Amino acid sequence: VVAVGYDEHFVYFADPALQDKSLGKIEFKELESRWHDKGMNGEVYQHYGIVLWKNEPQQKLTEKLSARRGKYAARYLIS
């Protein structure tokens, strides 16, 4: 699952498990309760993730994602 944008109410994400290949969304409160994992040794990881970015204007990034995922993606990307 990859977070691709957010606004004051939701985090928008891409998930290959979504059947229609569109973007999903989740409210911040629900994300807070679900963002965890457990390692093979039983250790619990809260809010674990990896952040990658490139110094590129948001407009260009939006255009690239829009070309890959259709107009739906560009609508939900927040600058």
Side-chain angles (χ1 to χ4, degrees):
V1 175
V2 177
V4 296
Y6 67 95
D7 61 20
E8 61 275 0
H9 302 288
F10 297 100
V11 174
Y12 299 92
F13 61 90
D15 182 349
L18 293 174
Q19 290 183 358
D20 61 1
K21 304 296 182 204
S22 64
L23 294 178
K25 67 180 180 180
I26 188 169
E27 291 184 325
F28 282 102
K29 186 175 182 177
E30 185 177 355
L31 176 64
E32 179 70 24
S33 71
R34 293 177 59 177
W35 188 5
H36 61 274
D37 196 10
K38 187 181 286 189
M40 290 175 39
N41 63 357
E43 185 174 355
V44 176
Y45 298 98
Q46 293 288 337
H47 301 161
Y48 188 80
I50 298 172
V51 177
L52 303 171
W53 73 90
K54 181 177 181 181
N55 291 332
E56 186 172 343
Q58 182 67 35
Q59 183 179 10
K60 288 183 182 178
L61 178 60
T62 301
E63 290 168 2
K64 285 180 182 179
L65 287 172
S66 180
R68 288 186 192 155
R69 304 224 353 95
K71 293 179 183 176
Y72 188 83
R75 219 178 328 166
Y76 288 106
L77 287 171
I78 308 301
S79 327

